[in-house]
Amino acid sequence: MITRIDQKFLALQAEGRAALMTYIVAGDPNYDIALEIMKILPKFGADIIELGIPFSDPIADGPIIQKASLRALQSGQTLKKTLDMVRIFRRLDNSTPVVLMGYYNPIYIYGVERFLQDAQCAGMDGLLILDIPLEMDHELCRPASKAAVNFIRLVTPQTDNKRLPHVLKGASGFIYYVSMNGITGQTLSSEDSDLAELERYVRHIKKKTLLPVVVGFGIKNVFQVEKISKMADGLVLGTRIVRAIASTLDLQGNIVGDPVRVVGDLVFRFRSSITCIKNDVENKG
């Protein structure tokens, strides 16, 4: 079965361009504004939306996303409300893929079978769960595959050649390459040597799988976007967006700016930095 994620990458491949995947935390700073931000993301250049499931103990996330999760939870965000956001978004947009990213605990409490059924009905396309290992595929990966939901795997710099084939085996949709060791919010180096090392590993993964490879974690500036868009099939803009939302809040969390406009401007600027390889080749020719 061809999913929205498959269709999106096929279209981008024909266009000769890498995907821009944008991450927001569902319910940050509150449900209504998060939904408005989600709605405008494709209009400003997002190809895929990564919607974070708020969780009280986001171990892989840095302080910026941790605070966003806390804001969302304090505003009353639940997994059910997160699925409602997807359902409402899908009424307006039936082509932009939506990937839910988060931790297994909220899904386990919700009930895996019920969650997958509700998520599929809402229009969710993929799952990226940070804390569920290969050895627990029976818990979520296999049920998700049966429900025609792409189960996206993480590959890190520490994934060795022995484990890599096992990681790739159960994956679908795309491979998410974590560009550095550590948590979200750190800054990826813009040094030529470090970007060359990143490209080397992306090439290594692409030799092992036909799935698109998307780079995430630490992408903060348009220079990095331009460089990574030439080596990978996609890249993730996450903490940078969450920080932009936070910049519109005061110390008490009250909204004092326009988070929707700020995010739209940011996404547009970063999307404009993605190089279209096909056009580059034509121009050089």
Side-chain angles (χ1 to χ4, degrees):
M1 177 181 178
I2 301 294
T3 66
R4 286 189 189 90
I5 293 175
D6 298 328
Q7 291 172 340
K8 177 60 68 174
F9 278 107
L10 286 171
L12 290 173
Q13 183 180 28
E15 189 178 335
R17 173 173 70 79
L20 176 62
M21 187 159 74
T22 54
Y23 171 90
I24 61 172
V25 176
D28 175 42
N30 59 49
Y31 178 92
D32 291 334
I33 291 179
L35 180 58
E36 288 306 307
I37 291 173
M38 186 179 182
K39 289 177 181 178
I40 62 98
L41 285 172
K43 298 176 183 178
F44 285 89
D47 297 298
I48 301 172
I49 295 173
E50 189 179 354
L51 191 60
I53 302 171
F55 184 49
S56 57
D57 300 292
I59 56 175
D61 293 306
I64 293 173
I65 293 180
Q66 286 181 13
K67 290 177 182 177
S69 286
L70 182 59
R71 286 194 298 267
L73 292 171
Q74 289 176 337
S75 73
Q77 189 73 12
T78 63
L79 184 51
K80 182 180 183 302
K81 285 187 175 181
T82 300
L83 294 179
D84 286 341
M85 286 180 62
V86 178
R87 185 177 294 105
I88 294 171
F89 173 81
R90 197 53 79 205
R91 293 173 189 164
L92 304 172
D93 187 321
N94 196 41
S95 60
T96 303
V98 176
V99 174
L100 290 187
M101 179 176 184
Y103 301 85
Y104 184 48
N105 182 270
I107 295 172
Y108 176 78
I109 293 173
Y110 193 97
V112 171
E113 185 176 350
R114 176 186 167 216
F115 167 75
L116 289 172
Q117 183 177 23
D118 290 353
Q120 191 179 39
C121 290
M124 180 198 72
D125 303 291
L127 272 177
L128 179 53
I129 306 302
L130 299 170
D131 60 346
I132 190 162
L134 295 174
E135 292 74 18
M136 293 177 63
D137 270 1
H138 61 282
E139 290 278 342
L140 188 57
C141 176
R142 292 171 195 163
S145 298
K146 289 180 180 179
V149 172
N150 287 135
F151 196 83
I152 295 141
R153 295 287 201 191
L154 289 163
V155 175
T156 75
Q158 293 178 320
T159 305
D160 59 27
N161 288 328
K162 183 178 180 180
R163 189 167 180 81
L164 182 59
H166 300 287
V167 174
L168 300 177
K169 183 178 180 181
S172 62
F174 60 89
I175 299 299
Y176 189 118
Y177 178 59
V178 179
S179 63
M180 64 180 76
N181 295 318
I183 56 177
T184 60
Q186 299 180 87
T187 300
L188 177 67
S189 170
S190 295
E191 295 292 330
D192 288 341
S193 58
D194 292 330
L195 289 172
E197 180 66 13
L198 174 60
E199 182 174 12
R200 184 193 69 79
Y201 205 86
V202 168
R203 288 175 181 266
H204 175 68
I205 299 170
K206 289 175 72 66
K207 289 178 181 178
K208 305 292 183 179
T209 180
L210 296 176
L211 292 174
V213 178
V214 175
V215 175
F217 280 51
I219 299 172
K220 295 293 191 300
N221 57 60
V222 293
F223 174 79
Q224 293 167 336
V225 169
E226 182 180 352
K227 293 294 184 181
I228 295 172
S229 68
K230 294 178 181 179
M231 67 177 78
D233 300 296
L235 53 98
V236 184
L237 189 62
T239 300
R240 187 71 175 78
I241 292 177
V242 179
R243 181 188 285 120
I245 294 171
S247 73
T248 67
L249 311 175
D250 65 17
L251 294 177
Q252 287 72 45
N254 301 308
I255 300 168
V256 294
D258 187 346
V260 179
R261 180 186 61 79
V262 167
V263 171
D265 290 346
L266 177 68
V267 172
F268 179 79
R269 181 159 55 89
F270 275 68
R271 165 63 183 85
S272 300
S273 302
I274 292 181
T275 301
C276 185
I277 296 175
K278 180 185 291 187
N279 288 344
D280 273 3
V281 173
E282 290 173 352
N283 291 337
K284 290 176 182 177

